[in-house]
Amino acid sequence: MNNFSAFENVITRFTALTKTDFVPEIQLYQANEITPIWQATESWLTHQNIDPPFWAFAWPGGKALARYILDNPKFVRDKKILDFAAGCGIAAIAAAKCRAGYVEVADIDPLAQNACALNAKANHIILDKNSNDVVGQPCEWDIVFCGDVCYEAPMTQHIWPWLKTCAQKGATVIIADPGRSYLPKKELTPICTYDIPTTTELEDCTIRSTVLYQLKM
């Protein structure tokens, strides 16, 4: 079995295609509970040197981005979009549904890349490009969407200079953050806030207030 088939088998075996709460217009392959998929995939993921299955859940940041896009379709129409650290690809799917001109997802986890492809197919969406690590690449997008990317200091330190460069080159960089500790708020302008339903398995509460910000140029 090749890697693509193996990844697809893991995704479809341990998740179910369901509507997404807060964004019911979009279906995703989602795990019902975090513990079973973590346990079931732990040894396989470790053997493959792959990160835990963050792609199996619609996190508050992604939901907030998708809700904003679907409610403001003109914002993305005919634009070149990057869903950065895409996870399940929910923001990219929303952008494609709103007739973005070009939609690219990027995630360093190959399982997440496969999840994005499967989720796009389930929503009758075609992704223009499915990328791995784009940090450091020249900015070729009109809008860069980032859902919940500042959850660790090393991650923030790695991506922030590149995101600032994208903004300086003229891209609109939108970051959805549910209150993570490492977000450089002084460099951001708030756009709107959503109260996103979540579970205590994923978060320490059942509602996570999530703010959409634009990175200042």
Side-chain angles (χ1 to χ4, degrees):
M1 182 181 291
N2 61 35
N3 275 348
F4 179 83
S5 298
F7 294 158
E8 184 173 343
N9 181 60
V10 168
I11 294 166
T12 56
R13 180 180 177 186
F14 294 112
T15 66
L17 186 61
T18 56
K19 288 185 178 181
T20 307
D21 57 29
F22 202 72
V23 195
E25 299 95 326
I26 294 176
Q27 296 187 95
L28 299 171
Y29 285 95
Q30 301 178 77
N32 292 326
E33 297 177 282
I34 195 168
T35 304
I37 190 170
W38 235 267
Q39 293 175 340
T41 61
E42 183 175 15
S43 60
W44 188 87
L45 293 170
T46 301
H47 180 71
Q48 297 289 326
N49 194 29
I50 293 174
D51 292 331
F54 298 114
W55 49 265
F57 306 92
W59 295 82
K63 290 180 185 177
L65 289 172
R67 185 71 272 153
Y68 182 80
I69 293 166
L70 291 170
D71 291 345
N72 300 275
K74 291 182 180 179
F75 184 64
V76 299
R77 189 164 297 165
D78 300 323
K79 299 293 179 59
K80 195 170 185 178
I81 305 298
L82 173 67
D83 184 359
F84 174 68
C88 63
I90 188 172
I93 292 168
K97 281 181 171 288
C98 293
R99 296 166 54 190
Y102 172 95
V103 180
E104 180 176 351
V105 294
D107 201 295
I108 60 173
D109 182 349
L111 259 172
Q113 290 180 274
N114 282 263
C116 286
L118 286 173
N119 286 330
K121 184 178 180 181
N123 288 275
H124 312 290
I125 295 302
I126 297 175
L127 298 173
D128 293 286
K129 192 173 182 180
N130 196 330
S131 299
N132 190 300
D133 189 359
V134 297
V135 174
Q137 291 187 15
C139 184
E140 300 176 344
W141 309 278
D142 299 312
I143 305 174
V144 178
F145 288 114
C146 315
D148 196 359
V149 292
C150 295
Y151 51 87
E152 292 180 342
M155 174 71 165
T156 304
Q157 292 165 4
H158 175 60
I159 66 174
W160 205 254
W162 176 73
L163 290 174
K164 288 175 66 174
T165 298
C166 288
Q168 290 163 0
K169 294 294 184 181
T172 300
V173 179
I174 304 296
I175 298 167
D177 185 82
R180 304 307 182 200
S181 300
Y182 302 102
L183 183 71
K185 290 184 180 180
K186 292 182 180 179
E187 300 183 70
L188 300 171
T189 301
I191 299 171
C192 63
T193 302
Y194 295 103
D195 289 330
I196 307 293
T198 184
T199 69
T200 52
E201 284 207 311
L202 294 178
E203 303 282 354
D204 56 1
C205 54
T206 56
I207 297 290
R208 176 67 72 179
S209 182
T210 302
V211 182
L212 261 63
Y213 297 94
Q214 181 173 345
L215 181 57
K216 298 175 184 177
M217 292 179 61

